[in-house]
Structures are given as C-alpha cells and as structure tokens.
Amino acid sequence: MAEQARPEEPGRLAVATVVFSVCVLTIVGSYHAVAGFAAIIDDAFFVEPDHYPYALDVTAWGWLHLIVGMIVLAAALTLLSGYLWARAVGVVVALLSALECYFFAPYYPVWCVIMIALDVLVIWSLVRYARPVSHKLLGVDGPSR
C-alpha cells in the first residue's frame, strides 16, 4: 500500500512572512483609511500638484483612500483562513493598493514609495507561502481546500 505524500512543512521564514503580510496589510489599510479621513476632513491637508493629468479633488482622493483602506483591512482579516480565494483577494488588494499609491504619489511621494514597496513584499509573500502556513497556524490537517 502506497503512503500518501504529506505536504511540506512550512519553515520559520514562511510563517514569519505570512504573519508579516497580515500585519503589513493591516497597517497599509489603516494608513489608507487615516489618509482618507484626513483628506475628507481637511481639503488643505494634501497639496494638489500643478498640471497632473490624474488630478482629482482632494476629497475624491480621500473617499477613494477610505474605501480602499476598508477593503485592505477586510482582506487582511481573511488571510489566515487558508482558502485560496483569501490569498487571491490579498494579492489583488495589495496590487490595488500599490496602483492607488502610484497615482497618488504626486500628493505624498515618499510615503507612497514606501507603501508600494510594502505591497510588493505582501504580494511576494502571499504567492510564495500563504496556504501551507495558514493551515499550520490554524491546525488544519484535512485535504487541501
């Protein structure tokens, strides 16, 4: 009788990077929400750049940041479920966050570069390690979902 192959045990680096991804997505989502509230409350908080083709009203950017922030926070909460859809949502949301920061860069350049770098790290981590680690952390031994 053939033995069933057991999934490879995730190492310490894998566990650390997935926990890192959840934490970073929580921070990124919180940043988007706080920046959104700041832009909604005070139009003068962010200075509008001259001759920027994607210039929106600061309040519009604020609402966009607030909505994206809530979506990123919700995605961060679902990541450790172990489901493939949660990982895919995490990757898509990190990509959406990076894209939004790319277009928002003339308003707040240094922080946007940092946010894009963090989003890229999250995408790498979720694509590489998320599923086996989430199963290990939750103690799930059953077949893959």
Side-chain angles (χ1 to χ4, degrees):
M1 189 180 296
E3 268 185 53
Q4 276 189 331
R6 295 195 63 165
E8 179 181 319
E9 280 290 315
R12 294 174 110 181
L13 178 64
V15 173
T17 56
V18 170
V19 172
F20 170 79
S21 293
V22 172
C23 293
V24 168
L25 275 181
T26 303
I27 291 168
V28 167
S30 299
Y31 162 74
H32 282 301
V34 168
F37 278 127
I40 291 168
I41 292 171
D42 183 14
D43 277 347
F45 187 78
F46 295 109
V47 179
E48 293 186 42
D50 293 334
H51 308 294
Y52 181 54
Y54 301 109
L56 294 176
D57 180 47
V58 174
T59 305
W61 274 114
W63 282 108
L64 184 63
H65 268 294
L66 184 62
I67 291 168
V68 169
M70 294 300 136
I71 292 170
V72 171
L73 284 171
L77 294 175
T78 63
L79 270 179
L80 289 177
S81 68
Y83 290 107
L84 179 62
W85 65 264
R87 187 173 58 175
V89 166
V91 170
V92 169
V93 162
L95 182 65
L96 176 68
S97 170
L99 186 63
E100 180 191 6
C101 280
Y102 174 76
F103 287 112
F104 192 68
Y107 294 88
Y108 216 54
V110 174
W111 190 248
C112 283
V113 169
I114 292 169
M115 297 292 285
I116 291 170
L118 290 174
D119 286 328
V120 168
L121 284 174
V122 166
I123 292 169
W124 171 80
S125 174
L126 292 178
V127 168
R128 176 68 179 100
Y129 294 117
R131 188 169 185 145
V133 173
S134 59
H135 282 212
K136 181 179 181 181
L137 291 175
L138 293 174
V140 176
D141 277 341
S144 62
R145 301 176 196 185

